[in-house]
Amino acid sequence: MNVTTAHTPAVIPTPAGDLRRADGGAHGRRSAEPAPAHPSGVAATARIRATHNGRATTVPLLHSDGPFHLRRLRARGEQARVCVLGAMSAPLGGDRLALDITAEARARLEVTGAAATIALRGPTTAPATYDVRVRVDDDASLRWLPEPLISTRGSTLHQAFAVDLAPTSRLLMREEQLLGRSGEPPGHLTTRLTVRRGGRPLLDQHTAYGCPAPAWDGPAVLGPHRATGQLLLVDPGLDTPQEPHVIGDDPAEGYAVLTPLADPRARIATAVAPTPARLRHLLDTALTYVYETPRPAAEGEQ
């Protein structure tokens, strides 16, 4: 696993129906934004835009495309909620998929998934790409909490997250991967996460798993574990960085490392575990630790 971090040291799916893969999505729409797909693949871009109308958060733009079916859920307090459903198997080899999410000023938005995303080889060995582009404006918040991504034998997927945050915005972003189904080796999976806050780089991280990535299953990376993920929290209410904190005392059950970033308002937790359920538990524990651990007293404070 190759990890680079800006300004901080590196540490440890249109409704279901008659959809034809060759036409680029439901109703024959083809988005020009993703790179051209393989002839056997899909090029599709789905979009979510949340805005605040002065009283509540609304979602005036909910554009489903290709394998992405977007559904509004019941609001939770001030927070609008959207679920991403799968309208077809994706991503397959050769697909070019993208999801654009915008939370405008003062909006409160949560985006979840109904089921795991499964990366499959498909009719071609060409890699698939899946880009998630996020913008969170002033005093807005976004909770991006999808279900895990499963990398299956023979698949190749390049996933990228590009996040642009305003200085007063909030973000809770969870990313989980399961490398192979039960008893199955994984395909080749790469992920890149880049985050900018107030126009300045906050995080630039790249990971690679499965052949031909070197040493991804070695003791310095995953070891025997096949579930991995991270949770990124950016909150203006955080101030003094906490010290790095290790969660878990049994290597067989996995562990997480909660680390402050260079910006004192950001934390990232990285975890490895034997099962997805254990991975989720570790990440949830890390989030609880951030908000329940008392802030260290500054010099001169009583």
Side-chain angles (χ1 to χ4, degrees):
M1 178 173 61
N2 300 318
V3 180
T4 57
T5 306
H7 302 309
T8 189
V11 297
I12 325 213
T14 59
D18 182 16
L19 298 172
R20 295 168 294 171
R21 297 194 63 82
D23 68 5
H27 315 301
R29 295 192 301 269
R30 177 182 292 275
S31 171
E33 289 193 10
H38 186 276
S40 298
V42 166
T45 299
R47 296 181 176 88
I48 304 169
R49 180 169 61 86
T51 188
H52 195 277
N53 63 11
R55 300 181 305 276
T57 298
T58 63
V59 185
L61 176 62
L62 207 60
H63 172 74
S64 300
D65 195 14
F68 299 108
H69 174 46
L70 307 176
R71 178 177 294 176
R72 291 178 177 87
L73 302 177
R74 185 185 299 273
R76 184 176 291 157
E78 297 182 3
Q79 183 173 258
R81 299 166 63 221
V82 175
C83 183
V84 183
L85 305 173
M88 62 173 75
S89 294
L92 305 183
D95 287 354
R96 299 291 180 264
L97 307 178
L99 178 60
D100 286 344
I101 305 172
T102 300
E104 296 185 347
R106 299 175 58 198
R108 305 289 185 265
L109 177 64
E110 178 178 277
V111 183
T112 63
T117 299
I118 305 178
L120 301 165
R121 173 176 172 173
T124 173
T125 58
T129 64
Y130 180 15
D131 297 332
V132 180
R133 302 183 285 255
V134 172
R135 194 187 86 209
V136 189
D137 290 343
D138 287 316
D139 197 31
S141 71
L142 173 67
R143 292 165 57 90
W144 167 248
L145 303 171
E147 294 303 305
L149 169 66
I150 304 175
S151 174
T152 67
R153 182 201 301 261
S155 66
T156 301
L157 175 63
H158 303 313
Q159 187 173 39
F161 299 87
V163 181
D164 188 7
L165 304 175
T168 56
S169 65
R170 292 171 175 83
L171 175 72
L172 177 62
M173 185 175 190
R174 185 179 67 213
E175 180 192 5
E176 300 170 321
Q177 297 96 25
L178 180 60
L179 303 177
R181 294 166 290 197
S182 180
E184 174 190 57
H188 181 51
L189 172 65
T190 69
T191 71
R192 184 171 184 180
L193 171 60
T194 58
V195 183
R196 298 176 67 86
R197 184 171 186 269
R200 301 184 61 184
L202 174 62
L203 179 68
D204 188 353
Q205 175 175 283
H206 178 262
T207 61
Y209 306 108
C211 186
W216 66 274
D217 55 354
V221 189
L222 296 185
H225 301 301
R226 291 299 175 267
T228 183
Q230 59 190 7
L231 186 145
L232 174 66
L233 175 66
V234 182
D235 185 343
L238 300 175
D239 47 17
T240 302
Q242 297 166 332
E243 294 297 322
H245 177 66
V246 178
I247 299 166
D249 51 14
D250 182 356
E253 292 297 313
Y255 54 88
V257 178
L258 177 64
T259 308
L261 298 178
D263 189 320
R265 297 158 188 84
R267 313 278 192 275
I268 189 167
T270 303
V272 296
T275 65
R278 180 62 182 168
L279 177 70
R280 182 72 59 86
H281 173 75
L282 290 167
L283 295 177
D284 287 347
T285 301
L287 182 61
T288 300
Y289 180 87
V290 171
Y291 285 113
E292 292 189 355
T293 302
R295 180 178 69 88
E299 236 181 85
E301 290 185 354
Q302 296 298 322

